[in-house]
Amino acid sequence: MSDGGRVLVITPDFPPAKGGIQVLIHRIVSSFTTLEPTVVTLGHAESREFDRRQNFRVLRVPTRHGPRTLAILALIAKSIALALDEHPNIVLNGHIVTGPAAAFIRKQRGIPFAQYVYAKELGARPDLARFVLTRANRIIAISRYAKELAETVGAPAGRIALIRPGVDLGAFVNRPATRTTRPTIITVARLEDRYKGHDVLLRALPLVRAQIPDTVWHVVGDGPLRRTLEDRVGALGLDGAVQFLGALNDDERDRELDSADVFCMVSRLPAGGFAGEGFGIVYLEANAHGLPVVAGAAGGATDAVVDGVTGLLVDPEDHLAVADALVGLLRDRKAAEQMGQAGREHAERFSWTAAGQSVEAELLRLLA
């Protein structure tokens, strides 16, 4: 890595913690070839070995049992202290909640900063988002939808760069699928946000099984909504038709995707119609496994899914529309395979290397 400048990356979300933002920030920073990054993030019980394998410096703020807000404040303080001591050339801030650190560093030392925006955080904290985005030198939006939301809370349109995420392809592109004999729908998402649409798919499943009786739904992910969903499975008489597989490691998740027939996650806009799915890397991951996808025609999913080509975009509030889309793909295997192949080719256009180089180019332009 040549010395084109030092970038301080501030983020509460970083591996080995799980999640889409964690993957995005890590892949982007790992792709830098000119800037020298230092990542400041939260501690994690399994971070020592992970951090050792990185080709850049990772500094952790110890986290203790207690409110996450205290950990974020500690991360802000650590980031400011490090910037004042080491004087990086530029700051890349990974989440709105640590934006005050980047804004303070800019004000005190004149160090420019770029701010990532996704979707959900802008609706959850609009006042904080407005404070941060009006002070950022550059705003990196992961989708057209995220860009629109940023503008809604006051971000200057001329400072926003649209850089879509990538997808990890090397491990499974061109790997032969091992589809099961039973028609299998799969969803991969943490069971934390109601807008992900598990409840809608659960209402659609009896209609699917009425036409394709052997259909099963594999739910990958865990979280506080699991108990509620399990109770509904029982109430609907779907015991045996739904398998909650919990949080899986990458290899286990990939095997599940290889064995499924259709990926379905019908994310919708939350109450109030603000935020929701920022992009949906998981749709590209499913496509990379050769799966057609069924997604909600809302939010950033419309950037990730090409309707009628790589998947089907449906009304995420309408369980009848969801059921129709699933039945059509499960019945017409040839059409599903063609859509899955188109999805694989589509996913191959989204590399993390290209995304990372685009972000680095934006940072270098700020430095210039």
Side-chain angles (χ1 to χ4, degrees):
M1 184 179 294
S2 61
D3 185 13
R6 290 171 292 116
V7 54
L8 177 63
V9 182
I10 308 171
T11 177
D13 305 304
F14 202 69
K18 302 293 185 181
I21 296 177
Q22 287 86 338
V23 170
L24 182 148
I25 296 296
H26 175 252
R27 300 297 192 271
I28 291 296
V29 173
S30 298
S31 299
F32 288 174
T33 58
T34 302
L35 292 169
E36 180 183 350
T38 293
V39 175
V40 187
T41 188
L42 297 179
H44 190 281
E46 302 172 6
S47 65
R48 178 171 297 182
E49 177 61 23
F50 176 86
D51 293 350
R52 187 185 65 80
R53 296 195 304 267
Q54 307 311 308
N55 64 348
F56 49 83
R57 184 170 58 151
V58 181
L59 302 177
R60 301 268 177 179
V61 173
T63 54
R64 300 176 177 83
H65 296 295
R68 180 176 168 85
T69 303
L70 296 180
I72 297 296
L73 291 174
L75 178 56
I76 289 173
K78 173 73 172 179
S79 302
I80 291 173
L82 187 67
L84 297 181
D85 182 50
E86 298 189 356
H87 202 85
N89 301 101
I90 195 166
V91 172
L92 175 62
N93 188 53
H95 199 287
I96 285 294
V97 294
T98 50
F104 182 87
I105 293 166
R106 179 189 178 189
K107 182 177 180 181
Q108 292 299 314
R109 289 291 186 267
I111 298 172
F113 79 95
Q115 174 66 54
Y116 248 108
V117 293
Y118 313 100
K120 179 181 174 182
E121 81 285 9
L122 302 178
R125 300 175 177 87
D127 292 337
L128 177 60
R130 184 176 299 107
F131 171 85
V132 175
L133 297 184
T134 54
R135 288 160 175 79
N137 301 84
R138 185 74 82 248
I139 299 153
I140 301 171
I142 65 171
S143 66
R144 291 170 298 174
Y145 178 59
K147 180 178 183 293
E148 292 168 3
L149 290 180
E151 292 174 358
T152 298
V153 298
R159 297 184 198 172
I160 304 176
L162 173 58
I163 302 176
R164 294 178 176 87
V167 61
D168 291 312
L169 297 170
F172 43 80
V173 166
N174 298 324
R175 188 171 72 183
T178 54
R179 308 296 182 212
T180 61
T181 55
R182 296 186 68 181
T184 303
I185 303 164
I186 187 170
T187 303
V188 180
R190 287 181 293 179
L191 306 182
E192 296 179 4
D193 298 303
R194 296 184 184 279
Y195 73 78
K196 294 288 186 180
H198 291 85
D199 56 329
V200 178
L201 180 47
L202 193 55
R203 294 200 303 273
L205 189 58
L207 302 177
V208 175
R209 284 173 57 83
Q211 300 186 61
I212 308 174
D214 290 340
T215 301
V216 293
W217 177 29
H218 288 183
V219 183
V220 177
D222 216 338
L225 295 178
R226 176 168 176 168
R227 177 62 62 85
T228 300
L229 292 170
E230 288 176 332
D231 290 344
R232 291 184 182 179
V233 166
L236 291 169
L238 291 172
D239 294 312
V242 181
Q243 296 182 24
F244 289 91
L245 303 177
L248 303 180
N249 62 38
D250 290 348
D251 288 340
E252 293 168 335
R253 177 207 59 198
D254 289 343
R255 284 195 295 271
E256 286 296 325
L257 287 167
D258 280 338
S259 66
D261 296 291
V262 179
F263 180 89
C264 182
M265 187 175 80
V266 284
S267 294
R268 58 185 182 267
L269 298 184
F274 201 93
E277 203 69 51
F279 180 78
I281 295 173
V282 69
Y283 298 119
L284 293 181
E285 291 175 339
N287 279 159
H289 282 268
L291 289 180
V293 303
V294 176
T302 58
D303 271 35
V305 180
V306 183
D307 188 29
V309 178
T310 69
L312 299 175
L313 293 172
V314 299
D315 182 348
E317 303 279 1
D318 185 354
H319 68 285
L320 299 176
V322 174
D324 285 345
L326 290 170
V327 168
L329 290 172
L330 290 173
R331 274 186 169 166
D332 191 341
R333 293 301 180 98
K334 183 177 180 179
E337 288 176 5
Q338 290 175 342
M339 194 170 285
Q341 180 59 36
R344 193 191 300 270
E345 294 169 1
H346 177 65
E348 289 175 356
R349 302 187 187 103
F350 290 80
S351 76
W352 281 118
T353 299
Q357 290 174 351
S358 295
V359 172
E360 188 175 41
E362 289 293 334
L363 299 180
L364 291 170
R365 274 192 281 272
L366 284 183
L367 289 179

